[in-house]
């Protein structure tokens, strides 16, 4: 695929650039633990649901798939209750009042239920209904959404609750599972344009946090190329041109009232790779099933589907997420593309475990510049938070919130992890929420009611130009 964007972005400055539909500056939160549940964020609710807690999450009921396997008869109703209550319309109102303009929505591959191989995989069913309802609230509130493929088929990284299956058996980087992820992409791109509930979706993220060692992710670069082609193939079928690209498909007038028929025609267009063609073909019966279940047959098969919407942004973790000769996602851009980096100090490896070292590090952050130098711009920080490796004082958390917002705002903006976490005796009251929950951070005042505001715009001054200083904590 011709690299259309590289010249453009390489010559651009660091000024954050926004694509159509993308807020000029992203002030966001993640809707984590909603449609991909991570028990550590809601330990009491998880036990109440029937889950378990253990040091190694692969050894007990500590992930969605383990739960679904343990409770095959009740898993769907138990999760429906969770989806109904964890993220509510009242949360949307609070986030809107706090100036949040973007959410990142972590999703599992199982939101497209037909992709689950029930012979050896179990996941709760029915999440799409809640996703559609939540997206409609967000659209009504004018909050933009990124659909984040957070938990991939075969799991993309070992031993993590956020993949839906705590296992060391990583199978994502195989042609079978790349295919399933591309089918997911075709379905989500279609819904984003044709289901009115998805009206505020402006980006789809290919994969959350792949393994950092690129030597362990064979053919990930090819998957990146196919991911972008899949999105664009669906959009071109819908009559949405891709900016700065000559890629096109022609749909005969006789198909202009039946999108699935038109997609079927595109699935044999040789402009796309064989993998993309196969994914489009396999998405068709799934869309027909979803159409039947959610009363969208007329939209999919009996009305004009030409859209005036603009292309979605293809979103990847930035190239610097990986080491050992990673593929550069900028090389596969066709149309709007943006990059995601995540930064947590609490897991170690970023700075020494003390407040001054944290401040020197964040105030000197160079990730935006180094990404821009290899075409990974615009860049947003799709996950960050206030957690620390030490017991942080309130005074430090004011600075820590300010300094991170300042740093990430030099790029396209930031998306906090998470919009909320549980407050219970199992979380020592608000001890977890104090550093991981945006809503609690607002309550406590570390995070400002106007997300663009800072308590101290000069918070970084003492930490620049090699000055050594201690914090006021
Ligand atoms: C979870 O991983 C195990 C391998 O450790 C596998 O046997 C099982 O099928 C996986 N379950 C799901 C739902 O993917
Ligand atoms: C639309 O096209 C699909 C795929 O060719 C076909 O299965 C379906 O019957 C068509 N629907 C209508 C309403 O014509
Ligand atoms: C933080 O405070 C708790 C409770 O006072 C204490 O048990 C723990 O050791 C402290 N942790 C660190 C890293 O100082
Ligand atoms: C750092 O040093 C440069 C050059 O002396 C100066 O222009 C800049 O204002 C300094 N920045 C800060 C934050 O002190
Ligand atoms: C160190 O920080 C304090 C408060 O943040 C400030 O008053 C002081 O001037 C700083 N000292 C130096 C050498 O930058
Ligand atoms: C922080 O950045 C300044 C200016 O870019 C530099 O002089 C200083 O050495 C940096 N400090 C650290 C600890 O990286």
């Amino acid at each position: 695929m011709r690299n259309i964007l590289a010249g453009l972005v390489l010559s651009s400055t660091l000024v954050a650039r926004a694509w159509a539909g993308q807020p000029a500056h992203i002030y966001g939160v993640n809707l984590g633990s909603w449609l991909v549940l991570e028990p550590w964020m809601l330990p009491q609710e998880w036990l109440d649901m029937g889950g378990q807690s253990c040091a190694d999450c692969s050894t007990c009921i500590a992930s969605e798939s383990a739960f679904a396997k343990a409770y095959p008869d009740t898993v769907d109703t138990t999760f429906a209750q969770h989806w109904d209550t964890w993220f509510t319309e009242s949360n949307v109102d609070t986030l809107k009042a706090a100036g949040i303009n973007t959410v990142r929505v972590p999703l599992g591959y199982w939101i497209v239920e037909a992709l689950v191989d029930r012979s050896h995989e179990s996941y709760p069913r029915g999440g799409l209904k809640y996703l559609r309802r939540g997206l409609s609230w967000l659209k009504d509130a004018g909050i933009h959404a990124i659909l984040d493929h957070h938990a991939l088929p075969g799991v993309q990284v070992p031993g993590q609750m956020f993949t839906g299956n705590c296992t060391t058996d990583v199978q994502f980087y195989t042609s079978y599972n790349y295919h399933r992820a591309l089918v997911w992409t075709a379905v989500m791109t279609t819904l984003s344009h044709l289901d009115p509930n998805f009206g505020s979706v402006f980006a789809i993220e290919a994969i959350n946090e792949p393994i950092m060692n690129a030597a362990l992710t064979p053919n990930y670069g090819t998957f990146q190329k196919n991911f972008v082609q899949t999105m664009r193939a669906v959009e071109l079928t819908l009559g949405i041109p891709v900016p700065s690209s000559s890629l096109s498909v022609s749909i005969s007038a006789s198909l202009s009232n039946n999108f699935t028929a038109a997609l079927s025609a595109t699935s044999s267009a040789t402009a796309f790779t064989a993998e993309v063609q196969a994914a489009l073909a396999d998405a068709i019966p799934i869309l027909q099933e979803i159409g039947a279940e959610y009363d969208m047959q007329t939209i999919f098969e009996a009305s004009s589907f030409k859209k005036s919407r603009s292309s979605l942004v293809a979103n990847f973790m930035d190239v610097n997420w990986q080491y050992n000769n990673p593929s550069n996602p900028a090389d596969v851009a066709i149309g709007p593309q943006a990059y995601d980096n995540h930064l947590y100090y609490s897991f170690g490896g970023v700075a020494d475990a003390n407040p001054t070292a944290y401040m020197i590090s964040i105030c000197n952050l160079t990730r935006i510049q180094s990404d821009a130098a290899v075409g990974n711009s615009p860049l947003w920080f799709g996950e960050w938070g206030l957690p620390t490796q030490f017991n942080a004082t309130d005074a430090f958390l004011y600075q820590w919130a300010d300094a991170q917002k300042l740093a990430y705002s030099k790029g396209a903006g930031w998306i906090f992890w998470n919009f909320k976490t549980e407050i219970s005796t199992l979380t020592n009251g608000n001890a977890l929420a104090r550093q991981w929950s945006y809503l609690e951070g607002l309550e406590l005042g570390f995070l400002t009611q106007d997300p663009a505001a800072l308590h101290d715009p000069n918070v970084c001054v003492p930490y620049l130009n090699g000055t050594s200083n201690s914090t006021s904590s």
Side-chain angles (χ1 to χ4, degrees):
M1 188 53 50
R2 202 164 72 86
N3 180 2
I4 292 144
L5 268 188
L8 265 178
V9 285
L10 285 174
S11 64
S12 76
T13 64
L14 290 182
V15 173
R17 149 165 208 186
W19 298 111
Q22 176 193 324
H25 189 103
I26 291 177
Y27 301 108
V29 294
N30 282 275
L31 302 185
S33 258
W34 182 36
L35 292 154
V36 178
L37 194 158
E38 300 181 42
W40 68 272
M41 294 166 68
L42 56 163
Q44 186 62 55
E45 182 183 327
W46 183 247
L47 296 184
D48 294 346
M49 287 168 76
Q52 298 172 336
S53 164
C54 47
D56 170 355
C57 61
S58 70
T59 59
C60 72
I61 304 174
S63 67
E64 277 201 37
S65 62
F67 190 101
K69 203 170 170 188
Y71 301 102
D73 300 331
T74 53
V75 58
D76 297 350
T77 46
T78 308
F79 270 78
Q81 170 76 12
H82 168 72
W83 295 325
D84 194 34
T85 52
W86 181 251
F87 172 61
T88 65
E89 194 165 16
S90 149
N91 293 145
V92 174
D93 294 342
T94 309
L95 294 171
K96 183 179 170 58
I100 291 300
N101 64 17
T102 302
V103 294
R104 178 169 175 263
V105 190
L107 297 172
Y109 75 95
W110 57 93
I111 196 85
V112 179
E113 285 164 24
L115 290 175
V116 177
D117 177 350
R118 302 262 163 206
S119 69
H120 68 285
E121 296 174 343
S122 348
Y123 278 102
R125 281 174 268 226
L128 186 57
K129 175 179 155 191
Y130 293 89
L131 175 62
R132 295 178 76 227
R133 185 180 72 171
L135 288 174
S136 76
W137 295 332
L138 292 160
K139 185 182 80 165
D140 291 347
I143 296 176
H144 301 264
I146 299 164
L147 302 181
D148 153 34
H149 203 174
H150 202 77
L152 283 292
V155 313
Q156 74 272 30
V157 56
Q160 294 289 349
M161 293 172 178
F162 71 70
T163 65
N165 189 2
C166 265
T167 172
T168 50
D169 185 16
V170 175
Q171 291 294 335
F172 173 63
Y173 308 95
T174 59
S175 51
Y176 171 61
N177 284 317
Y178 283 139
H179 171 72
R180 288 200 287 175
L182 293 177
V183 176
W184 185 97
T185 304
V187 170
M188 286 297 152
T189 305
T190 301
L191 291 174
S192 296
H193 286 295
L194 287 184
D195 182 343
N197 295 295
F198 281 59
S200 72
V201 172
F202 73 94
I204 300 183
E205 182 162 21
I207 150 170
N208 172 66
E209 300 193 355
I211 293 177
M212 291 181 138
N213 183 353
L216 301 179
T217 63
N219 300 315
Y220 178 41
T222 304
F223 169 71
Q224 291 173 328
K225 171 170 120 176
N226 288 329
F227 172 82
V228 175
Q229 281 201 17
T230 299
M231 286 179 71
R232 302 313 174 210
V234 169
E235 293 181 326
L236 288 165
T237 305
L238 288 164
I240 299 168
V242 187
S244 333
S245 162
S246 54
L247 195 61
S248 69
V249 302
S250 67
I251 299 297
S252 83
S254 63
L255 301 179
S256 67
N257 282 321
N258 185 338
F259 172 71
T260 51
L263 194 59
S264 176
T266 304
S267 75
S268 51
T270 51
F272 305 107
T273 65
E275 290 97 324
V276 171
Q277 293 177 31
L280 299 177
D282 284 352
I284 291 166
I286 295 177
L287 286 167
Q288 288 172 323
E289 249 175 68
I290 292 173
E293 187 170 353
Y294 293 97
D295 215 7
M296 288 192 285
Q297 295 109 319
T298 308
I299 294 178
F300 289 160
E301 300 201 331
S303 51
S304 167
F305 52 79
K306 296 283 177 194
K307 290 292 146 189
S308 56
R309 283 192 70 184
S310 48
S311 331
L312 298 172
V313 175
N315 185 206
F316 292 99
M317 296 300 294
D318 64 344
V319 60
N320 290 313
W321 178 258
Q322 292 194 305
Y323 62 90
N324 258 345
N325 196 23
S327 52
N328 187 345
D331 292 342
V332 301
I334 316 170
Q337 194 157 297
Y339 305 87
D340 182 14
N341 190 262
H342 298 172
L343 187 47
Y344 292 112
Y345 284 70
S346 52
F347 302 129
V350 185
D352 287 348
N354 66 72
T356 306
Y358 275 35
M359 293 297 285
I360 290 172
S361 164
I362 194 70
C363 291
N364 276 289
L365 192 71
T366 54
R367 291 187 182 196
I368 295 157
Q369 296 91 315
S370 32
D371 271 16
V374 288
N376 285 205
S377 181
L379 172 73
W380 55 68
F381 285 77
E383 290 189 22
W384 65 285
L386 300 181
T388 49
Q389 295 153 291
F390 46 86
N391 285 329
T393 62
D394 284 358
F396 177 69
L397 292 184
Y398 284 102
Q399 297 184 328
W400 187 223
D402 273 3
Q404 289 190 83
K405 284 161 62 178
L406 194 59
Y408 307 148
S409 293
K410 291 174 184 153
W414 49 258
I415 307 173
F416 195 90
W417 186 281
N418 189 37
F419 81 110
K420 75 170 188 187
T421 60
E422 182 179 280
I423 296 181
S424 70
T425 43
L426 284 185
T427 61
N428 291 322
N430 77 348
L432 182 74
R434 180 172 173 263
Q435 290 177 271
W436 285 101
S437 161
Y438 197 83
L439 295 178
E440 184 66 7
L442 281 175
E443 287 286 325
L444 296 172
F446 309 137
L447 299 161
T448 47
Q449 270 300 322
D450 170 3
L454 300 171
H455 300 286
D456 175 10
N458 296 316
V459 64
C460 272
V461 170
Y463 304 99
L464 292 169
N465 288 355
T467 314
S468 114
N469 205 327
S470 60
T471 68
S472 51
S473 59

